[in-house]
C-alpha cells in the first residue's frame, strides 16, 4: 500500500509516517521504480503498536527503545518488561512531583497565613 492508504488505515498523517521513519520507529519501506513508498501490513502493525504505547504515556524516545522488542519476540515478554520499567519510572517521577507540590502548597499556605496576620495587625491599629 502507498503512504496515503497506510496513513488512513493507521489514523495518522503521511507526515507522521515520514517523521516516524526519520526517528527510526518505522523502518523505511521499499520504493518502486516510480519513487513511491510502499508499505506492508507489518508497518501498519508497528504504527498501531506505537499508538498503543503513546496511549500508555511513553515518549517517542521511549517507544524507540522498546518497539523492536515487540516484533522480535512473539511472547512480547521482553518488551512488556521494559515498558513496565518505564512506567514504574514515570510513577516515581509523578510521586516525586506530587510530593514537591504538596511541600510548595504547605509553604504557600504558611505565607498566606503570615501575610493575612500582618494585614489584620495593621487594620487593628
Amino acid at each position: 500500500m502507498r503512504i496515503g492508504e497506510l496513513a488512513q488505515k493507521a489514523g495518522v498523517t503521511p507526515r507522521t509516517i515520514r517523521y516516524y521513519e526519520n526517528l527510526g520507529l518505522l523502518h523505511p519501506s521499499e520504493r518502486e521504480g516510480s519513487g513511491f513508498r510502499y508499505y506492508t501490513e507489518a508497518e501498519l502493525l508497528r504504527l498501531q503498536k506505537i499508538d498503543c504505547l503513546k496511549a500508555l504515556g511513553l515518549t517517542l524516545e521511549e517507544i524507540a527503545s522498546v518497539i523492536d522488542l515487540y516484533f522480535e519476540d512473539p511472547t512480547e515478554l521482553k518488551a512488556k518488561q521494559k515498558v513496565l520499567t518505564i512506567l514504574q519510572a514515570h510513577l516515581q517521577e509523578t510521586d516525586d512531583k506530587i510530593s514537591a507540590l504538596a511541600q510548595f502548597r504547605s509553604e504557600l499556605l504558611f505565607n498566606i497565613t503570615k501575610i493575612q496576620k500582618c494585614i489584620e495587625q495593621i487594620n487593628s491599629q
Side-chain angles (χ1 to χ4, degrees):
M1 70 189 98
R2 288 177 44 185
I3 194 167
E5 184 181 353
L6 176 65
Q8 184 179 6
K9 285 185 177 183
V12 298
T13 64
R15 185 175 181 179
T16 298
I17 292 171
R18 289 186 201 96
Y19 181 62
Y20 287 172
E21 284 181 354
N22 287 335
L23 292 178
L25 294 174
L26 191 64
H27 300 298
S29 59
E30 296 296 320
R31 291 180 184 259
E32 292 292 322
S34 60
F36 290 113
R37 295 176 178 160
Y38 286 90
Y39 300 87
T40 65
E41 290 297 315
E43 284 86 19
L44 178 59
L45 290 174
R46 284 182 76 89
L47 284 170
Q48 291 168 339
K49 183 54 73 177
I50 290 167
D51 191 47
C52 288
L53 293 170
K54 282 175 55 180
L56 288 175
L58 273 67
T59 65
L60 292 178
E61 184 178 319
E62 291 167 336
I63 292 170
S65 75
V66 72
I67 189 73
D68 287 335
L69 295 174
Y70 277 99
F71 298 96
E72 293 170 358
D73 175 15
T75 67
E76 300 180 351
L77 179 62
K78 289 181 183 179
K80 289 177 180 177
Q81 289 171 329
K82 188 159 187 173
V83 168
L84 178 61
T85 299
I86 291 168
L87 293 177
Q88 288 170 332
H90 283 218
L91 180 60
Q92 183 60 54
E93 290 171 21
T94 301
D95 287 344
D96 293 345
K97 287 177 184 178
I98 289 171
S99 178
L101 284 171
Q103 177 64 36
F104 181 63
R105 185 180 190 281
S106 293
E107 291 169 9
L108 283 173
L109 286 172
F110 174 79
N111 289 328
I112 288 169
T113 303
K114 184 177 169 182
I115 292 172
Q116 284 174 333
K117 285 181 182 179
C118 287
I119 292 171
E120 289 172 9
Q121 285 178 350
I122 293 170
N123 285 335
S124 66
Q125 293 178 354

